[in-house]
Amino acid sequence: MATSSNHQAPWQQAEPHPDEEERREEPVWTGLLPAVVPAGTGADDGQAGAHERRSGSGRTGSGSRAVGAAGTAGDDEPDAEARRRTALRRDALADEPRLPRLQQVFLVLVLPLALLAAAVRAVATPLFLWAEYHRPGFPADSYGFSTEERMVFGSYGLDYVMNWAPAGFLAGVRDADGAQLFLGSEVGHMTDVKIVLQSALAVVAVLALLGIVSSLYLRAKAPGAASGALFFGSWLTVLLLVVLAVAAVLGWQQFFALFHSLFFADGTWTFRASDTLIRLYPTQFWMDAAIAVAGLALLGALAVMAATWPTAFRRHRALDRVRRRQELKRRLAGR
């Protein structure tokens, strides 16, 4: 019987319950979760079953063969019932989480991705576009776009990367004189952005859904495991944001170029200052967008951190859920 430690996870600790002490039940370890074996069950039942079978065979050998097949069937029924009860006890006590450590690592890695993806999606909205174009100090277009025109044409570009429209949606946008607003190279780059952005958001959405399922599973099977993983994942998110922020501050142009080179082919994402994409989304726009994404992701990480901080109350609540699971296992084992 393993002993518990204050350094173990909540679901790995087992404290004796008053009712269990009265029944003289001892906590035993069956892997990660403590289980309670009621007194007089388990091995005792197996010995009792074996004793019954030996007694039955002795009686049969000493002269009870006259009973015939009916007597043999009667002796087999208690043995079958004992085997069934033993199997039920074994199944109840073996009710442990599947791959809990792997699921914890998965949650730790998924949380930063989910928070960053949610922040990117929140920034890629007309509200941020409006706030950016109307904020004091935002550079004006030296080629003549007014704030209203920027808002209209910029919304076309934003809508295109977030919807399922074909390239003609953006290629057909024209200015007041009827001239085509976006060049073919610009439409091609925005198409690449659409593919990368939507694919990344879809993948992260699936991972986040799996993370939610895993969290609920661990919460039921291993109290305290999911919250511990999310707490560590929130710290990992903060660390990642600090590293990215330092890299961006030390060299924004290099950071911006490295980011684009990871997802887009060389020569497909560089444009002239007079091109529409640069006029609508200048360098200041991307710097502000990066700050907004980092700020939203940081707020999300701090919220998760506060919700999963390992306080004494949360630890006692996790231990209480462990005790309830033990009581349920005891009842299942005794039915």
Side-chain angles (χ1 to χ4, degrees):
M1 182 179 67
T3 58
S4 60
S5 172
N6 291 332
H7 298 289
Q8 293 174 320
W11 74 90
Q12 293 178 304
Q13 296 190 10
E15 297 182 359
H17 193 275
D19 294 338
E20 294 173 352
E21 291 181 350
E22 293 176 2
R23 300 185 185 94
R24 295 184 301 174
E25 299 168 354
E26 297 181 351
V28 298
W29 288 78
T30 58
L32 289 174
L33 288 178
V36 175
V37 179
T41 60
D44 295 340
D45 285 348
Q47 295 176 359
H51 177 69
E52 290 175 2
R53 287 192 293 273
R54 287 194 300 268
S55 300
S57 9
R59 286 193 304 269
T60 304
S62 62
S64 60
R65 289 191 181 91
V67 177
T72 303
D75 290 339
D76 288 341
E77 290 180 0
D79 291 343
E81 178 64 17
R83 288 193 297 270
R84 186 187 72 84
R85 290 172 61 87
T86 302
L88 287 175
R89 296 188 187 98
R90 184 171 57 251
D91 294 340
L93 297 176
D95 181 24
E96 299 176 352
R98 302 296 181 91
L99 304 175
R101 294 302 184 188
L102 181 60
Q103 293 189 62
Q104 283 187 303
V105 173
F106 175 73
L107 289 176
V108 170
L109 298 179
V110 164
L111 183 61
L113 297 177
L115 292 176
L116 286 172
V120 169
R121 186 62 187 91
V123 169
T125 57
L127 178 61
F128 176 79
L129 201 65
W130 182 92
E132 189 68 5
Y133 287 149
H134 289 83
R135 79 166 181 83
F138 190 78
D141 177 31
S142 57
Y143 292 91
F145 278 160
S146 65
T147 302
E148 289 72 19
E149 288 175 324
R150 269 183 161 179
M151 189 65 200
V152 173
F153 298 144
S155 296
Y156 273 106
L158 179 61
D159 291 342
Y160 178 65
V161 298
M162 297 308 301
N163 63 25
W164 296 93
F169 177 89
L170 199 60
V173 179
R174 300 185 180 275
D175 59 16
D177 298 329
Q180 183 177 345
L181 197 63
F182 296 95
L183 300 176
S185 57
E186 295 176 296
V187 175
H189 176 60
M190 294 296 278
T191 302
D192 293 340
V193 172
K194 174 203 287 279
I195 295 173
V196 171
L197 181 59
Q198 294 194 13
S199 299
L201 291 178
V203 170
V204 174
V206 173
L207 293 177
L209 181 61
L210 293 176
I212 293 174
V213 174
S214 180
S215 298
L216 296 176
Y217 174 81
L218 288 178
R219 189 179 188 278
K221 297 287 186 177
S227 59
L230 294 176
F231 180 73
F232 189 82
S234 63
W235 278 109
L236 180 62
T237 304
V238 173
L239 178 62
L240 178 62
L241 291 175
V242 170
V243 172
L244 294 177
V246 171
V249 169
L250 293 179
W252 169 258
Q253 294 298 336
Q254 293 80 359
F255 176 81
F256 191 78
L258 177 61
F259 176 82
H260 277 72
S261 63
L262 292 176
F263 299 101
F264 310 110
D266 293 340
T268 62
W269 52 272
T270 54
F271 304 96
R272 299 168 298 182
S274 59
D275 290 339
T276 302
L277 286 182
I278 303 301
R279 296 169 63 185
L280 294 176
Y281 316 112
T283 300
Q284 189 63 50
F285 176 88
W286 296 112
M287 294 177 65
D288 294 345
I291 293 174
V293 169
L296 291 175
L298 179 61
L299 289 177
L302 293 178
V304 174
M305 191 182 300
T308 58
W309 195 280
T311 62
F313 171 76
R314 292 192 177 107
R315 185 173 181 83
H316 291 161
R317 186 173 59 182
L319 291 174
D320 185 61
R321 291 201 299 269
V322 169
R323 295 189 189 98
R324 289 200 298 267
R325 281 181 55 79
Q326 291 177 334
E327 179 65 17
L328 177 61
K329 286 183 178 185
R330 189 193 65 77
R331 293 177 180 178
L332 289 173
R335 63 181 178 178

